Amino acid sequence: MKQINIAIIGAGMIGAAHASGYRSHQARLSTSQQQFVLHTVCDARESAAAELAAVWGFAHVATDWQAVVNDPEIQVISIALPNFLHAEVAAAALKAGKHVLCEKPLALTAKEAWDLTQLAQQSDSICGSVFNYRRIPAVAQIKQWVDSGEIGNLQHLLIQYQCGYAADPQLPYSWRYRQQTAGGGALHDIGAHAIDIARFIAGDVETINGACSSITIPQRFVALGANAGHNHVALSNKRETVDTDDIASCVMRFTSGCQGLFSASRVTVGMGNTLSFTLTGSTGTIQFNSERPGEFQISRFGRENGAFVTVPNQPAFPYLSQWIPVPHDGVAIGYAESFGFMIAEFMQAVSENRPYRNGTFSDGFAVAQILEAIQRAAEQQRPVAIRELTF
Ligand code: SOE
């Protein structure tokens, strides 16, 4: 029987989401001819790799990502590393002939993302960017309703991703707070997801008409020891200067003519991890908030009489009947499931040896262009056309 061996590189917070996704769908997507195998977890911190491997049932532990990427036993590389390593590890994995699922942002800059996308296109590898929010069934259903004209022509999109994980000045300095290692702050960490959803629903962006960016906590203390994720650890007296945005916002115009208003913040106290949007169509409005991922609200001209109705999950929504055990009306699903649906789609593409289409490297590049255009618009205080960032 053919084995498809999976390796996750990066055993931090998001590595666990990858591991959970593969674990949830591995058995279902294996057939009598080919079996997905949870093969290796790799992290420079051996104990973190060992713990993740033990929790999710991966057979091997490694500390050298280059050895993993070049291991002929391994066919699938899932990259869950800090931003500055995404493009380097993905390029090495592509050169070694592996299939690659890479965390967002695909790269630190639009140019780096473009080069990686070109490399992927020249290869036979199946590649995907981690855009799991597209797979929240309510979000996927909203896209279908917008496409089928349920709220008329889309005219305005207000989208926000708000978190509070960096609001505490006592959180340690890390790669996230440095331009060279993160590419950007809230913009690249969580804004990347919101921009992907904006494109998913409203199509390509033409111009960033204006943008603002702020660093609200300009210095942070360096940890005494190692730190990962957003955890509190013992701090030294040494401070480092933060040069990535805590809050970034912009106004944008889509090629369809739709207007967009976007904001990402990592310092909004009380917001754990909230992606929300309001879509204004010519005949209706739709609202979604990821804190209630199992529903959305809609108001249609002449139908809801000026009020909103809540549409809860239904088995007919994308992903539900296909992937969850109890797909009744109103069964809520959350973050981990959306991540799992994405991984299941990726595994399906690998198993059928066909392109992965929903959240490609090209989508990762398009998001990278928009992120950099927002940075440029904020720095230079001028409108930036996305075509300025073509290569
Ligand atoms: C930030 O806290 C974070 O983990 C992002 O890095 C992830 O991409 C997002 O999905 C959840 O929040």
Side-chain angles (χ1 to χ4, degrees):
M1 184 197 294
K2 186 178 154 198
Q3 286 198 348
I4 305 175
N5 292 327
I6 300 160
I8 295 177
I9 306 187
M13 187 169 58
I14 215 69
H18 286 238
S20 149
Y22 288 111
R23 176 88 201 176
S24 302
H25 296 283
Q26 163 217 15
R28 198 199 315 233
L29 289 171
S30 293
T31 63
S32 52
Q33 277 89 48
Q34 58 183 15
Q35 192 187 13
F36 282 99
V37 176
L38 307 180
H39 193 277
T40 297
V41 176
C42 173
D43 198 290
R45 301 159 303 144
E46 191 169 8
S47 58
E51 194 184 328
L52 197 71
V55 168
W56 296 101
F58 281 67
H60 306 280
V61 170
T63 53
D64 175 358
W65 69 258
Q66 273 158 327
V68 171
V69 152
N70 289 303
D71 183 343
E73 287 266 297
I74 290 169
Q75 285 76 38
V76 171
I77 300 284
S78 217
I79 301 174
L81 289 162
N83 296 1
F84 64 97
L85 289 165
H86 293 174
E88 183 184 353
V89 177
L94 288 174
K95 285 177 190 155
K98 312 298 181 193
H99 303 304
V100 181
L101 182 65
C102 184
E103 266 300 329
K104 46 39 61 179
L106 190 54
L108 295 183
T109 63
K111 174 69 169 85
E112 207 178 33
W114 170 252
D115 290 344
L116 191 59
T117 304
Q118 296 306 102
L119 198 62
Q121 273 168 11
Q122 287 149 21
S123 77
D124 294 327
S125 299
I126 292 153
C127 298
S129 288
V130 168
F131 289 131
N132 56 300
Y133 289 84
R134 292 168 173 237
R135 271 73 175 205
I136 293 175
V139 174
Q141 184 64 35
I142 289 169
K143 181 190 164 43
Q144 287 187 6
W145 275 16
V146 170
D147 286 354
S148 65
E150 197 68 33
I151 57 167
N153 292 329
L154 194 58
Q155 297 173 336
H156 186 268
L157 171 150
L158 164 63
I159 189 158
Q160 293 175 291
Y161 199 144
Q162 294 166 302
C163 287
Y165 69 76
D168 184 349
Q170 296 303 313
L171 277 167
Y173 183 77
S174 74
W175 63 266
R176 290 174 195 275
Y177 302 104
R178 191 163 161 241
Q179 180 72 25
Q180 256 190 318
T181 46
L187 186 59
H188 284 59
D189 188 31
I190 50 179
H193 285 301
I195 294 294
D196 179 61
I197 293 301
R199 285 189 69 248
F200 181 58
I201 294 173
D204 284 332
V205 174
E206 192 169 81
T207 319
I208 303 302
N209 293 73
C212 278
S213 174
S214 317
I215 296 170
T216 59
I217 303 178
Q219 290 197 318
R220 291 183 186 262
F221 291 100
V222 176
L224 274 177
N227 63 302
H230 307 307
N231 297 336
H232 280 101
V233 292
L235 300 175
S236 69
N237 291 328
K238 188 172 171 247
R239 288 181 217 220
E240 286 285 355
T241 297
V242 173
D243 64 357
T244 58
D245 55 279
D246 290 317
I247 307 174
S249 309
C250 80
V251 174
M252 55 188 150
R253 178 73 78 180
F254 293 84
T255 46
S256 65
C258 177
Q259 288 184 30
L261 194 51
F262 153 88
S263 198
S265 163
R266 62 186 179 191
V267 289
T268 302
V269 175
M271 293 290 196
N273 187 60
T274 309
L275 172 71
S276 63
F277 57 80
T278 302
L279 307 173
T280 301
S282 52
T283 60
T285 306
I286 290 177
Q287 291 186 313
F288 171 80
N289 186 313
S290 68
E291 289 179 9
R292 296 187 305 282
E295 63 182 49
F296 62 90
Q297 281 69 41
I298 189 164
S299 183
R300 283 160 291 194
F301 194 62
R303 286 188 63 178
E304 275 82 32
N305 299 322
F308 277 92
V309 294
T310 293
V311 185
N313 275 350
Q314 294 159 20
F317 281 15
Y319 304 108
L320 286 177
S321 293
Q322 190 182 7
W323 299 117
I324 69 163
V326 189
H328 288 327
D329 280 342
V331 167
I333 58 89
Y335 185 91
E337 283 100 340
S338 75
F339 217 96
F341 301 156
M342 172 189 69
I343 286 185
E345 280 188 349
F346 180 69
M347 290 165 91
Q348 270 184 318
V350 169
S351 111
E352 292 162 20
N353 197 27
R354 57 162 172 78
Y356 171 84
R357 294 194 185 87
N358 190 11
T360 60
F361 270 21
S362 297
D363 291 315
F365 165 63
V367 168
Q369 280 180 304
I370 297 167
L371 298 178
E372 200 167 322
I374 294 171
Q375 287 177 319
R376 204 177 274 189
E379 272 159 33
Q380 301 176 7
Q381 287 297 292
R382 65 171 178 92
V384 176
I386 299 304
R387 65 168 182 277
E388 283 186 27
L389 289 149
T390 43
F391 306 99

